[in-house]
Amino acid sequence: MSSTLLEVTRAAHEDVERLERLIVKDLQNDPPTMKDGLYQSHRVRNNIDTIISTTEKLVEIYEDKDNARKDEITALGGQTATGVNVFSAFYDRLKEIREYHRKHPAARVVDANEEYEDLLKEEPVIEFSGEEAFGRYLDLHELFNQYINSKFGAKIEYSAYLDVFSQPHNIPRKLKSTRQYREYMENLLEYLIYFFQRTEPLQDLDRIFSKLEAEFEEQWANDQVQGWEKQGQENEDDPAQHTMIDLDYYSTVEELMEVGPEKLKEALAALGLKTGGTVQQRAERLLLTKHTPLEMLDKKHFAKGSHGPRQNGSTAVSQDINSLKQIALVEVKMKKLCDLLSKTIEQTKENVVKKQALTYEEMEQEREEEETQVDTESDDEDQQIYNPLKLPMGWDGKPIPYWLYKLHGLGQEFKCEICGNYSYWGRRAFERHFKEWRHQHGMRCLGIPNTKNFNEITNIQEAQELWEKIRERQGVNKWRPDLEEEYEDKEGNIYNKKTYTDLQRQGLI
């Protein structure tokens, strides 16, 4: 039945809507463990990829570059070469449908509201090494060996490497132009990207990198990339600054000879010219390039194996700068991933330090305990809580002990009219509520400041009468809400209004 193009289009739209409903239904479930949460994220990611690929096919159909969709719509409308015959087109289509069902009598009718329940229980295959512990830790041992065996690295322990691998700006620039460093940084970035895609499949890494590259271009132009400052200035670590000589400052061979034989040799080697001969011959050979392009020079001036005028000096310098720029971009991307994986890096450090004090048997026992603990936690959540005395629940979701219930008088009920007749159980909860947001909001709605004078006041009329007495005694102009009105943060610290708003603007509370 899906032989026609319009039927393919309808089926594609139906698949997209069905997958969207499936994603919503999957995200409504709260995964009990980290492993289940990772499975859920990968299921959603796979469904999103399927939606994207299906939508791309729909776009191609609607573009209709070969006019197949247009011709099919025209045929359904009964338009033929001889004229318009709607009934003929209708009966031809009806005949085709009957013929299909005659050949496929057991064809299943697909319900439009059918959900793929099996997909919600699917466990995608995610490759993790044993050291990564299903995405909880990083496995940088291979990169660590590459680091300590390189010229830019240092002989340090693996635990110390976890502290320095995210700080490439501390490595001298003269060591960053080597091929060994480039390969190391590319391998490190490749691993971090692969790990991030496995642990955070719903993150749009391409979007993050595109924004990062735009910021990098601006910082590179302004010499603000950390570890790569003074890019366009003379730098002893820049090999191009050693080799190039500005010939605009020299007009004669004698002036050029004052540079020295070694400088002349380096400049000739950078251009691919012969470096032998006396100082005068070197100066004459180099001065030829001032007014004559390298492409026009005689081949006898070029060194063997240089393949002629390969590139001029400016091209060599630009290629060196572009190469360093690519390395700097890899460093910036690596640092961004380290920021996104900062929590995982800290857990990896703690795990490495802890493993140094354990034997192999103890590590295996701890791993088994972690697996059994996850299973018992998920089983405990499914069990119904036994609470015959109907005691209040504690912070862990279980009934508090009976002796604690009697000691603090949690069975006593206190109501506050200012809080909208909200009930508070126990004296401690009642005293604490005067500093909570609900009571503060109720007092502000009444136009009354929330101060110590109104503690134990739960009646609106009593609060208003007390406020009138305070105003008569102190005067309207003596009230200073910025200094006398009290606020409380999440940690229970008390501030006046001015201090609270200042700290809140600064993001400190």
Side-chain angles (χ1 to χ4, degrees), residues 211-468:
K211 181 179 179 181
L212 187 67
E213 290 174 1
E215 296 175 355
F216 170 79
E217 291 293 339
E218 182 178 356
Q219 293 176 356
W220 182 266
N222 298 327
D223 273 345
Q224 296 177 350
V225 180
Q226 188 178 15
W228 296 89
E229 295 83 358
K230 299 180 181 179
Q231 175 62 35
Q233 303 175 6
E234 292 187 3
N235 194 318
E236 63 179 3
D237 297 334
D238 191 352
Q241 299 298 329
H242 292 286
T243 57
M244 298 307 300
I245 297 176
D246 192 354
L247 297 178
D248 293 335
Y249 293 99
Y250 305 96
S251 56
T252 63
V253 176
E254 289 74 13
E255 293 177 355
L256 193 58
M257 289 173 58
E258 296 178 358
V259 175
E262 295 300 327
K263 288 285 185 179
L264 292 172
K265 183 177 181 180
E266 291 177 1
L268 291 170
L271 298 175
L273 300 174
K274 291 181 179 180
T275 59
T278 62
V279 179
Q280 182 179 356
Q281 291 175 342
R282 294 178 186 178
E284 292 174 353
R285 193 178 303 120
L286 183 60
L287 196 61
L288 289 174
T289 62
K290 181 177 181 179
H291 303 290
T292 306
L294 290 178
E295 295 80 2
M296 303 299 294
L297 286 178
D298 194 346
K299 293 184 179 181
K300 66 180 181 180
H301 296 296
F302 291 93
K304 294 182 179 180
S306 63
H307 304 289
R310 184 176 43 188
Q311 57 187 8
N312 55 24
S314 60
T315 306
V317 174
S318 62
Q319 288 185 355
D320 290 336
I321 295 176
N322 290 333
S323 178
L324 295 176
K325 183 179 179 181
Q326 293 300 322
I327 298 175
L329 179 59
V330 172
E331 288 185 2
V332 171
K333 289 182 178 180
M334 188 272 294
K335 289 181 182 179
K336 182 62 176 179
L337 286 173
C338 289
D339 292 339
L340 298 174
L341 297 171
S342 58
K343 185 177 180 180
T344 306
I345 295 174
E346 290 298 326
Q347 292 177 352
T348 305
K349 294 178 184 177
E350 295 174 359
N351 181 57
V352 170
V353 174
K354 183 175 65 175
K355 285 172 61 177
Q356 290 176 348
L358 299 177
T359 62
Y360 176 77
E361 291 75 11
E362 291 173 339
M363 287 188 288
E364 287 295 320
Q365 183 179 359
E366 184 177 354
R367 182 181 60 81
E368 294 176 358
E369 289 177 355
E370 289 180 356
E371 293 178 356
T372 55
Q373 183 179 1
V374 170
D375 297 335
T376 54
E377 287 178 357
S378 59
D379 294 339
D380 292 341
E381 292 179 358
D382 298 335
Q383 294 179 359
Q384 188 175 2
I385 298 175
Y386 180 70
N387 188 16
L389 298 178
K390 297 182 179 180
L391 299 173
M393 297 297 175
W395 61 269
D396 57 352
K398 297 180 181 179
I400 65 173
Y402 182 73
W403 64 269
L404 189 62
Y405 170 80
K406 297 297 292 183
L407 178 63
H408 294 283
L410 295 177
Q412 187 177 2
E413 181 183 9
F414 297 88
K415 284 190 176 182
C416 181
E417 185 180 1
I418 297 175
C419 298
N421 292 325
Y422 192 84
S423 297
Y424 298 93
W425 293 88
R427 181 70 189 176
R428 178 175 295 181
F430 174 68
E431 293 176 354
R432 191 188 304 117
H433 102 277
F434 289 106
K435 301 176 183 179
E436 293 179 351
W437 177 86
R438 185 185 291 108
H439 187 80
Q440 293 176 352
H441 180 70
M443 295 291 286
R444 284 197 294 269
C445 291
L446 297 176
I448 301 174
N450 185 35
T451 63
K452 296 179 180 179
N453 298 325
F454 295 91
N455 281 354
E456 303 293 333
I457 302 297
T458 60
N459 186 273
I460 295 177
Q461 185 177 357
E462 293 179 0
Q464 292 175 341
E465 292 176 355
L466 179 58
W467 176 234
E468 290 295 332

Side-chain angles (χ1 to χ4, degrees), residues 33-132:
T33 63
M34 172 189 171
K35 190 174 183 178
D36 294 332
L38 198 57
Y39 283 149
Q40 182 190 72
S41 300
H42 277 273
R43 284 197 300 267
V44 173
R45 178 75 263 174
N46 294 336
N47 291 333
I48 291 175
D49 293 339
T50 305
I51 290 175
I52 292 175
S53 61
T54 305
T55 306
E56 291 175 351
K57 294 179 182 178
L58 284 172
V59 171
E60 293 179 0
I61 293 175
Y62 283 120
E63 288 177 352
D64 197 18
K65 294 180 179 180
D66 55 355
N67 294 327
R69 182 171 179 270
K70 182 179 179 181
D71 296 340
E72 189 170 327
I73 294 175
T74 303
L76 287 177
Q79 297 182 10
T80 59
T82 58
V84 179
N85 192 345
V86 179
F87 293 101
S88 176
F90 171 78
Y91 284 112
D92 290 342
R93 181 62 177 159
L94 179 62
K95 180 180 179 182
E96 181 182 350
I97 294 174
R98 286 176 175 174
E99 185 67 21
Y100 174 84
H101 286 285
R102 186 184 64 80
K103 294 180 179 180
H104 306 87
R108 183 173 66 91
V109 178
V110 179
D111 185 5
N113 297 322
E114 179 184 0
E115 297 288 353
Y116 301 131
E117 297 294 339
D118 294 338
L119 294 178
L120 295 176
K121 301 177 182 178
E122 181 185 2
E123 296 183 356
V125 179
I126 312 172
E127 296 181 356
F128 285 108
S129 64
E131 186 70 21
E132 290 173 337

